[in-house]
Structures are given as C-alpha cells and as structure tokens.
Amino acid sequence: MKKVFFATSNKNKYLEAKAILRSFNIEVEWLKGDYPEIQAESLEEIASFTAKWVAEKTKKAVFVEDAGLFIQVLNGFPGPYSSYVYKTLGNHGILKLLEGETNREAFFISVIAYCEPTSKPATFIGKVNGTIAYEIRGNKGWGFDPIFIPTEGEGKTYAEMGPKNKNKISHRRKSLEKFGAWLSKYYEKE
Ligand code: ITT
C-alpha cells in the first residue's frame, strides 16, 4: 500500500480522508500540526501555498486540504474564512445571520493540494450543493455538519447522516476521489 502524508490540525478531516483513500489502496499518515496559511480568497491558492511549504520543510510527499462553506445570500461568506468563523460565531451565529431569510442556498467546497519537495502542487476540487437548516440538527458530526443539508442527502444534515453516509457524498469525498484516482495512476508510472 502506498503511503501519503496529510498535513492538518483537524482530526475529523484526517479520519475522513483515511477512510476514503483506503478504497484506493492508499494509506494516509497524519502529519499533525498547524501549518502556515496565507490569507486569500481562493481556497486553491491557500491550499497550494501550504502544501508547497510543508513538502519543502518535511521533504515528504504531502497533501493538505482546505474546505469552506459558501452561503449564497451572504455573498459566499464565510468561504475561505470558515475556520475562523466557526471558532468565533459557530453554528448559532450563522443561524442568527440567516434569521428570517428564506434563501438558504449554500455549498461546501474542498480543495486538496498535493505536493512533493521539488514539484509544483497539483489541486483537486470537490463541491456539494445544499441548504442551511433552520436549526441545529443531528449529533453525529463536527464543524458545520449540524446545519448543512446536502442536496443529495434526502433532507438530512451531514450530522444526521453520520460519517459513513456523509463520506459517500461529501465535498471531501469528491475531491479525495479525484485525488485518489490521479495518485493511483501516478504511482503506476513510477
Ligand atoms: P486545517 O489544519 O486542515 O486547515 P481546519 O479545521 O482549519 O484544519 P479548514 O480551514 O479546511 O480546516 O476548514 C474550515 C472550517 O470549515 C473547519 O474548521 C470546519 O469548521 C468547517 N468545515 C470544513 N469541512 C467541514 C465538514 O466536512 N463538515 C463540517 N464542517 C466543515
């Protein structure tokens, strides 16, 4: 089994990536830590910068993943600021911002950047459309899971679906699938 390092501070993201990439016969090892992130409006730019930085620093083949929740009526907020907004406003804060608002459309994006010490980063994107719930629903999730209802989720929030079902359709599943397929081919050529 080929091994690749995932640089993240977030254990939930690591566990999801590990479960999903296993089906591509790829083993994920956690490079636990807080790595520098630039402030930019594009998740691709942010993820690419961090992947390059970590690959050069550790001399390993690594990937990082940057995700964000984009709410239509808030012009895409919190988007690239999702981590900070989750820590400061939380799910209750987001629901408050949307009080009385009937347009609940939102999407989640996951961007993976893979990089080796001497190469340029390669990126893979996954997107899931959905809506923001009217209240917190479900306890089998983390982050924004209790307020995000994916279009393909039969009306349930990610947190009501639970990790197994979330992982079948999530934004992270989609970016990791692209990455896994690419990496398997890439390893064949080596
Ligand atoms: P890194 O160390 O990997 O950067 P992070 O927690 O800062 O970990 P991100 O910047 O990628 O992760 O994610 C931004 C935030 O968006 C994250 O902290 C969660 O609050 C939320 N988020 C991302 N993906 C999510 C998911 O699948 N379900 C629920 N919330 C999610």
Side-chain angles (χ1 to χ4, degrees):
M1 224 195 217
K2 286 283 185 179
K3 185 157 79 177
V4 63
F5 291 88
F6 184 13
T8 178
S9 63
N10 186 324
K11 188 174 184 187
N12 295 298
K13 290 188 1 180
Y14 158 70
L15 291 174
E16 288 186 6
K18 190 177 174 69
I20 294 166
L21 285 181
R22 194 179 292 132
S23 56
F24 288 90
N25 233 3
I26 295 163
E27 188 192 339
V28 177
E29 185 155 325
W30 189 8
L31 269 186
K32 187 177 172 186
D34 254 328
Y35 301 98
E37 270 187 18
I38 49 166
Q39 212 168 60
E41 286 189 19
S42 135
L43 294 180
E44 262 177 298
E45 226 182 292
I46 301 170
S48 298
F49 173 88
T50 308
K52 182 89 193 135
W53 189 94
V54 182
E56 282 176 356
K57 192 96 183 161
T58 61
K59 311 259 186 304
K60 287 181 163 76
V62 302
F63 74 94
V64 303
E65 191 250 7
D66 216 46
L69 176 67
F70 295 73
I71 301 173
Q72 195 182 74
V73 75
L74 303 179
N75 298 320
F77 179 86
Y81 312 108
S82 292
S83 186
Y84 180 71
V85 169
Y86 181 74
K87 280 184 213 143
T88 51
L89 298 181
N91 286 326
H92 288 285
I94 297 281
L95 292 179
K96 200 144 194 112
L97 287 176
L98 293 181
E99 234 164 45
E101 183 56 65
T102 52
N103 176 0
R104 318 288 294 186
E105 277 182 46
F107 55 83
F108 248 125
I109 287 192
S110 156
V111 175
I112 287 174
Y114 170 81
C115 196
E116 292 173 2
T118 54
S119 73
K120 274 193 185 161
T123 56
F124 308 87
I125 301 177
K127 179 181 177 193
V128 164
N129 288 313
T131 53
I132 302 296
Y134 283 89
E135 68 276 306
I136 299 217
R137 282 173 27 200
N139 54 14
K140 289 180 284 189
W142 56 278
F144 297 119
D145 282 349
I147 60 165
F148 184 74
I149 306 169
T151 308
E152 300 164 64
E154 294 167 355
K156 289 184 178 166
T157 63
Y158 269 164
E160 288 172 322
M161 294 171 74
K164 208 161 163 214
N165 287 324
K166 174 192 173 187
N167 282 352
K168 286 183 191 156
I169 61 145
S170 74
H171 50 300
R172 192 157 295 108
R173 161 112 220 162
K174 293 190 160 85
S175 61
L176 283 167
E177 252 175 14
K178 289 183 191 165
F179 174 48
W182 179 86
L183 203 58
S184 304
K185 273 208 191 122
Y186 178 77
Y187 284 148
E188 269 170 28
K189 278 193 225 140
E190 274 189 336

